[in-house]
Short mmCIF file of all heavy atoms in Angstrom, two decimals:
data_model
loop_
_atom_site.label_atom_id
_atom_site.label_comp_id
_atom_site.label_asym_id
_atom_site.label_seq_id
_atom_site.Cartn_x
_atom_site.Cartn_y
_atom_site.Cartn_z
N PRO X 15 -200.98 -52.53 254.24
CA PRO X 15 -201.85 -51.67 255.05
C PRO X 15 -203.27 -51.67 254.51
O PRO X 15 -203.48 -51.62 253.30
CB PRO X 15 -201.19 -50.29 254.93
CG PRO X 15 -200.35 -50.36 253.71
CD PRO X 15 -199.89 -51.78 253.60
N ARG X 16 -204.22 -51.74 255.44
CA ARG X 16 -205.62 -51.81 255.03
C ARG X 16 -206.05 -50.51 254.34
O ARG X 16 -206.84 -50.54 253.40
CB ARG X 16 -206.49 -52.06 256.26
CG ARG X 16 -207.97 -52.14 255.95
CD ARG X 16 -208.78 -52.36 257.21
NE ARG X 16 -210.20 -52.32 256.92
CZ ARG X 16 -211.15 -52.29 257.87
NH1 ARG X 16 -210.80 -52.29 259.15
NH2 ARG X 16 -212.42 -52.26 257.53
N HIS X 17 -205.54 -49.39 254.84
CA HIS X 17 -205.94 -48.10 254.29
C HIS X 17 -204.72 -47.46 253.64
O HIS X 17 -204.13 -46.51 254.16
CB HIS X 17 -206.51 -47.21 255.39
CG HIS X 17 -207.64 -47.85 256.14
ND1 HIS X 17 -208.84 -48.17 255.54
CD2 HIS X 17 -207.74 -48.25 257.44
CE1 HIS X 17 -209.64 -48.73 256.45
NE2 HIS X 17 -209.00 -48.78 257.60
N ASP X 18 -204.32 -48.03 252.50
CA ASP X 18 -203.12 -47.51 251.87
C ASP X 18 -203.41 -46.20 251.14
O ASP X 18 -204.56 -45.77 251.01
CB ASP X 18 -202.49 -48.55 250.94
CG ASP X 18 -203.37 -48.89 249.74
OD1 ASP X 18 -204.30 -48.14 249.43
OD2 ASP X 18 -203.11 -49.93 249.11
N ARG X 19 -202.35 -45.59 250.67
CA ARG X 19 -202.43 -44.26 250.06
C ARG X 19 -203.36 -44.24 248.85
O ARG X 19 -204.20 -43.35 248.71
CB ARG X 19 -201.00 -43.84 249.67
CG ARG X 19 -200.87 -42.44 249.11
CD ARG X 19 -199.42 -42.17 248.75
NE ARG X 19 -199.24 -40.85 248.20
CZ ARG X 19 -198.99 -39.77 248.91
NH1 ARG X 19 -198.89 -39.87 250.23
NH2 ARG X 19 -198.83 -38.60 248.34
N ASP X 20 -203.23 -45.22 247.97
CA ASP X 20 -204.05 -45.22 246.76
C ASP X 20 -205.53 -45.42 247.08
O ASP X 20 -206.39 -44.82 246.43
CB ASP X 20 -203.57 -46.30 245.79
CG ASP X 20 -202.36 -45.86 244.98
OD1 ASP X 20 -202.24 -44.65 244.72
OD2 ASP X 20 -201.55 -46.71 244.62
N ARG X 21 -205.83 -46.26 248.04
CA ARG X 21 -207.24 -46.46 248.39
C ARG X 21 -207.85 -45.16 248.92
O ARG X 21 -208.99 -44.82 248.58
CB ARG X 21 -207.36 -47.56 249.44
CG ARG X 21 -208.82 -47.79 249.85
CD ARG X 21 -208.97 -48.94 250.81
NE ARG X 21 -210.35 -49.05 251.28
CZ ARG X 21 -210.79 -49.94 252.15
NH1 ARG X 21 -209.96 -50.83 252.63
NH2 ARG X 21 -212.04 -49.97 252.52
N LEU X 22 -207.11 -44.44 249.73
CA LEU X 22 -207.61 -43.16 250.25
C LEU X 22 -207.78 -42.14 249.12
O LEU X 22 -208.77 -41.40 249.08
CB LEU X 22 -206.65 -42.63 251.31
CG LEU X 22 -206.54 -43.47 252.58
CD1 LEU X 22 -205.44 -42.93 253.49
CD2 LEU X 22 -207.87 -43.53 253.33
N LEU X 23 -206.85 -42.12 248.19
CA LEU X 23 -206.96 -41.18 247.07
C LEU X 23 -208.10 -41.58 246.13
O LEU X 23 -208.75 -40.72 245.54
CB LEU X 23 -205.64 -41.09 246.33
CG LEU X 23 -204.50 -40.39 247.09
CD1 LEU X 23 -203.22 -40.39 246.26
CD2 LEU X 23 -204.89 -38.97 247.47
N ASP X 24 -208.33 -42.87 245.98
CA ASP X 24 -209.49 -43.31 245.19
C ASP X 24 -210.78 -42.79 245.80
O ASP X 24 -211.70 -42.34 245.09
CB ASP X 24 -209.53 -44.83 245.10
CG ASP X 24 -208.43 -45.42 244.23
OD1 ASP X 24 -207.83 -44.66 243.43
OD2 ASP X 24 -208.17 -46.63 244.35
N ALA X 25 -210.88 -42.84 247.12
CA ALA X 25 -212.06 -42.31 247.80
C ALA X 25 -212.17 -40.81 247.58
O ALA X 25 -213.28 -40.28 247.39
CB ALA X 25 -211.99 -42.63 249.30
N ALA X 26 -211.04 -40.11 247.57
CA ALA X 26 -211.04 -38.67 247.33
C ALA X 26 -211.51 -38.34 245.92
O ALA X 26 -212.25 -37.37 245.70
CB ALA X 26 -209.65 -38.10 247.58
N VAL X 27 -211.09 -39.14 244.95
CA VAL X 27 -211.55 -38.95 243.57
C VAL X 27 -213.07 -39.07 243.50
O VAL X 27 -213.75 -38.23 242.87
CB VAL X 27 -210.89 -39.97 242.62
CG1 VAL X 27 -211.58 -39.98 241.26
CG2 VAL X 27 -209.42 -39.67 242.46
N ASP X 28 -213.62 -40.08 244.14
CA ASP X 28 -215.07 -40.28 244.13
C ASP X 28 -215.79 -39.08 244.74
O ASP X 28 -216.81 -38.61 244.21
CB ASP X 28 -215.44 -41.55 244.88
CG ASP X 28 -215.01 -42.82 244.14
OD1 ASP X 28 -214.75 -42.73 242.93
OD2 ASP X 28 -214.93 -43.87 244.78
N LEU X 29 -215.27 -38.58 245.84
CA LEU X 29 -215.90 -37.43 246.49
C LEU X 29 -215.87 -36.20 245.59
O LEU X 29 -216.86 -35.47 245.47
CB LEU X 29 -215.18 -37.12 247.81
CG LEU X 29 -215.42 -38.09 248.95
CD1 LEU X 29 -214.40 -37.84 250.08
CD2 LEU X 29 -216.84 -37.94 249.49
N ALA X 30 -214.73 -35.97 244.95
CA ALA X 30 -214.60 -34.81 244.07
C ALA X 30 -215.56 -34.88 242.89
O ALA X 30 -216.16 -33.87 242.49
CB ALA X 30 -213.16 -34.69 243.57
N CYS X 31 -215.73 -36.09 242.35
CA CYS X 31 -216.62 -36.26 241.20
C CYS X 31 -218.08 -36.12 241.59
O CYS X 31 -218.89 -35.59 240.83
CB CYS X 31 -216.38 -37.61 240.54
SG CYS X 31 -214.80 -37.72 239.69
N GLU X 32 -218.43 -36.59 242.76
CA GLU X 32 -219.83 -36.58 243.17
C GLU X 32 -220.28 -35.22 243.70
O GLU X 32 -221.40 -34.78 243.42
CB GLU X 32 -220.06 -37.66 244.24
CG GLU X 32 -219.94 -39.08 243.67
CD GLU X 32 -219.78 -40.12 244.76
OE1 GLU X 32 -219.89 -39.77 245.97
OE2 GLU X 32 -219.52 -41.29 244.42
N ASP X 33 -219.39 -34.55 244.45
CA ASP X 33 -219.82 -33.32 245.12
C ASP X 33 -218.86 -32.15 244.94
O ASP X 33 -219.03 -31.12 245.60
CB ASP X 33 -220.02 -33.59 246.62
CG ASP X 33 -221.12 -34.62 246.88
OD1 ASP X 33 -222.23 -34.44 246.35
OD2 ASP X 33 -220.85 -35.61 247.57
N GLY X 34 -217.86 -32.29 244.10
CA GLY X 34 -216.94 -31.19 243.85
C GLY X 34 -215.73 -31.22 244.77
O GLY X 34 -215.73 -31.90 245.80
N PRO X 35 -214.69 -30.47 244.41
CA PRO X 35 -213.45 -30.47 245.19
C PRO X 35 -213.65 -30.08 246.65
O PRO X 35 -212.92 -30.57 247.53
CB PRO X 35 -212.58 -29.44 244.46
CG PRO X 35 -213.08 -29.47 243.05
CD PRO X 35 -214.56 -29.68 243.17
N ALA X 36 -214.59 -29.20 246.94
CA ALA X 36 -214.80 -28.77 248.33
C ALA X 36 -215.22 -29.92 249.23
O ALA X 36 -215.07 -29.84 250.46
CB ALA X 36 -215.85 -27.66 248.38
N ALA X 37 -215.73 -31.00 248.65
CA ALA X 37 -216.17 -32.15 249.44
C ALA X 37 -215.00 -33.01 249.90
O ALA X 37 -215.18 -33.89 250.74
CB ALA X 37 -217.14 -33.00 248.62
N VAL X 38 -213.81 -32.76 249.36
CA VAL X 38 -212.66 -33.58 249.70
C VAL X 38 -212.01 -33.03 250.97
O VAL X 38 -211.17 -32.12 250.93
CB VAL X 38 -211.63 -33.63 248.55
CG1 VAL X 38 -210.47 -34.56 248.92
CG2 VAL X 38 -212.29 -34.10 247.27
#
C-alpha cells in the first residue's frame, strides 16, 4: 500500500515534533 500505517505515523511524528500534539 502506498500509504501504509507506518508512513502515516511517521508523518504524525513529524507534525507532533514541529507543532505539538494538537497539530496531529
Side-chain angles (χ1 to χ4, degrees):
R16 180 182 175 190
H17 306 296
D18 65 17
R19 184 181 179 89
D20 279 330
R21 179 176 175 181
L22 294 174
L23 290 179
D24 289 343
V27 168
D28 290 342
L29 287 167
C31 290
E32 291 164 7
D33 298 308
V38 183

